[in-house]
Amino acid sequence: MSKKHRGLLFTFCCILLLSIMATGCGGGGQSGSTEDAGNKDITLEFWTIALQPTFNDYFNALIAEYQKSHPNVKIEWKDYPYDAITDKLLTSIASGSSPDVVNLNTEFASQMGSKGAVVDMNEYLNDEQKGAYFEGIFNSTVIDGQAYALPWYTGTEVLFINTKIAKEAGLDPSNPPTTREELAEWGRQVKAKTGKAGYAQQLVSKLFPIEGISILTEDKTAAAFNTPAAVTMISNMKKLMDEGVIIKEDANFTKQIQYYSGEQTAFQLGGPTFINFIKTAAPDVYKNTIAVPLPTGQGDLRLSNSMNLVVPAKSEYPKEAVEFAAFVTNAENQTSFSKAANTLPSTKASIQDPFFSETDGSLEAQAKVVSAQSLGKATDYMVGVPNAQDVNSAIARGLQNILLNGQDAQKTLGEVEQEVNGILQQ
């Protein structure tokens, strides 16, 4: 999030909290108008991110179906670019003209939830409704027992394997690694037999939760990553870099594509979008690539990248807004949207559909199937604080200093811990 966005968020949160205190309303956002809504005509403003015009037919049909069964409710659908929706949302709520149902990523949904700026879904949903979603994904926006979003479409990373290189190293691609330790051993064998590296990666904060290490304390007021387990994890990673198993570089997505498409690495840890790049850049590599479930670390989870629906606390009709959000994200509608958009659903029942288990043998179909199989262990891990970008940047610099510049792991983690605690107090 840019400094401009962080400033807006801080200002917005102050305005919102003062408003809540002044009116005596709680985080649930209920208003008198909801109690009186009954069968009177109401309009719900529904905001999405970058879905028009590609999915106009889908949403127009979805909205028409909902309005048919709810004749007193009109849905007004608006769509904004990813970079614009944050400013528009904060501005609209601060000015008292809140939308009712808003599409947000998990990071920003969590930030708003931590400030009481969105409705607690628990007030309006029963256990059966909440239980329809994969637990790890649903809980990604649960803070102190309050559920601040309904998960919508999502995606998970998989492991791409260059079968040509794997076979040259004497490995069996039909029996792939299932843990990070096994992946490291595969990388060592690739390096020893072919001289190529195992894989490249970006030095980012998510490396901690993959190994079961929390970034912040549960109440998000202090750093929690300065632990013996973190020192061990980073030391093991440094050893793999020194051995050439992991490329010794902070490799962003573009660099990872270059290494894999140039057959300098045997594996790629990434999402299905990676396929489009190698298919264009390196058709032969694409033909030799398979997709398998991503090996898990000590955290025994796979990270997802989800979109959610929230109901701002200033919505005039929170009950009806939650009802519509639940309709959009129910299993039937998530299955339909996944087929239209080639995404993954966050609802358990959806992946029982043959669409998520049948494959035509293509790499794209393989990735879809193994991604769907990974949803049971998926969680959308986000820091969930307004200055999340500063926290993530501090951690990334610390990892760079240890892994690339040779600084002491324990000392550097302590310094990053102090920096993060300072950021959280701002």
Side-chain angles (χ1 to χ4, degrees):
M1 183 180 292
S2 67
K3 290 182 178 178
K4 176 184 176 184
H5 287 176
R6 290 196 300 273
L8 278 170
L9 181 60
F10 178 78
T11 301
F12 156 68
C13 289
C14 291
I15 293 172
L16 178 66
L17 292 175
L18 287 172
S19 175
I20 290 173
M21 291 170 64
T23 58
C25 294
Q30 292 193 38
S31 64
S33 56
T34 292
E35 297 175 2
D36 300 332
N39 292 319
K40 80 171 188 178
D41 291 341
I42 65 173
T43 297
L44 299 178
E45 201 167 301
F46 173 42
W47 289 12
T48 58
I49 301 174
L51 295 177
Q52 294 182 4
T54 307
F55 302 106
N56 280 8
D57 289 345
Y58 171 85
F59 282 102
N60 288 336
L62 184 77
I63 290 169
E65 179 185 354
Y66 188 80
Q67 292 179 157
K68 184 177 181 180
S69 60
H70 297 75
N72 66 311
V73 179
K74 178 183 177 183
I75 306 298
E76 188 174 302
W77 176 35
K78 298 182 179 181
D79 189 75
Y80 297 103
Y82 184 86
D83 293 338
I85 197 163
T86 300
D87 284 351
K88 292 194 72 69
L89 178 60
L90 300 183
T91 301
S92 68
I93 296 178
S95 65
S97 56
S98 171
D100 300 283
V101 180
V102 184
N103 172 196
L104 295 178
N105 65 20
T106 301
E107 182 69 77
F108 194 51
S110 297
Q111 291 174 16
M112 294 194 66
S114 70
K115 298 298 181 182
V118 290
V119 163
D120 176 12
M121 300 288 183
N122 288 326
E123 297 187 18
Y124 304 100
L125 301 177
N126 59 41
D127 290 341
E128 182 180 356
Q129 288 174 301
K130 291 181 288 185
Y133 307 94
F134 285 101
E135 184 178 0
I137 299 176
F138 182 84
N139 287 338
S140 296
T141 51
V142 173
I143 303 173
D144 294 331
Q146 296 183 314
Y148 289 118
L150 290 182
W152 194 10
Y153 59 97
T154 189
T156 62
E157 291 186 339
V158 302
L159 176 67
F160 295 101
I161 299 176
N162 184 318
T163 57
K164 174 187 169 187
I165 297 176
K167 290 174 181 177
E168 288 175 354
L171 298 166
D172 180 9
S174 66
N175 187 28
T178 60
T179 67
R180 292 281 171 145
E181 291 81 2
E182 291 175 359
L183 178 61
E185 289 306 314
W186 271 49
R188 286 192 175 97
Q189 191 160 328
V190 166
K191 185 65 178 178
K193 297 293 182 67
T194 71
K196 303 177 187 296
Y199 59 97
Q201 68 179 14
Q202 192 162 14
L203 304 181
V204 291
S205 60
K206 73 176 185 180
L207 295 172
F208 287 94
I210 287 172
E211 296 300 336
I213 302 165
S214 298
I215 294 175
L216 302 180
T217 55
E218 190 172 347
D219 62 4
K220 301 185 185 299
T221 61
F225 54 79
N226 185 11
T227 66
V231 174
T232 299
M233 181 268 286
I234 296 171
S235 298
N236 290 339
M237 195 176 302
K238 185 176 187 306
K239 184 178 180 182
L240 291 173
M241 285 185 168
D242 291 342
E243 294 175 2
V245 174
I246 301 175
I247 288 184
K248 195 170 186 176
E249 181 181 334
D250 184 8
N252 61 23
F253 185 60
T254 300
K255 289 294 293 185
Q256 291 174 33
I257 294 169
Q258 292 173 358
Y259 285 127
Y260 189 87
S261 62
E263 296 195 311
Q264 294 172 268
T265 55
F267 318 120
Q268 169 66 24
L269 292 65
T273 55
F274 174 74
I275 297 171
N276 298 328
F277 292 96
I278 62 165
K279 191 173 185 178
T280 302
D284 291 338
V285 175
Y286 165 81
K287 292 175 184 176
N288 290 326
T289 297
I290 62 170
V292 301
L294 188 71
T296 55
Q298 295 297 315
D300 194 30
L301 55 82
R302 295 186 176 97
L303 299 184
S304 57
N305 185 15
S306 304
M307 282 295 185
N308 309 270
L309 294 183
V310 304
V311 173
K314 290 295 185 179
S315 167
E316 187 176 357
Y317 304 105
K319 178 178 179 294
E320 290 79 7
V322 172
E323 184 176 354
F324 177 67
F327 172 78
V328 174
T329 62
N330 70 27
E332 180 181 356
N333 289 326
Q334 287 219 37
T335 303
S336 297
F337 186 65
S338 291
K339 291 179 179 180
N342 197 27
T343 60
L344 290 179
S346 59
T347 40
K348 299 172 187 175
S350 294
I351 64 166
Q352 302 305 316
D353 190 285
F355 177 78
F356 298 103
S357 58
E358 295 176 349
T359 174
D360 58 8
S362 67
L363 182 58
E364 289 84 349
Q366 289 176 28
K368 174 191 69 178
V369 171
V370 299
S371 293
Q373 293 170 347
S374 300
L375 288 171
K377 289 188 175 182
T379 185
D380 205 340
Y381 191 95
M382 297 294 176
V383 176
V385 293
N387 33 21
Q389 183 170 329
D390 290 339
V391 171
N392 290 329
S393 295
I395 293 172
R397 286 194 302 273
L399 290 172
Q400 290 167 5
N401 286 333
I402 298 168
L403 296 169
L404 306 182
N405 302 328
Q407 292 187 6
D408 179 76
Q410 184 65 74
K411 180 175 181 294
T412 303
L413 277 179
E415 292 170 349
V416 176
E417 177 185 33
Q418 292 181 13
E419 182 179 358
V420 168
N421 286 338
I423 291 169
L424 295 172
Q425 292 170 11
Q426 291 176 2

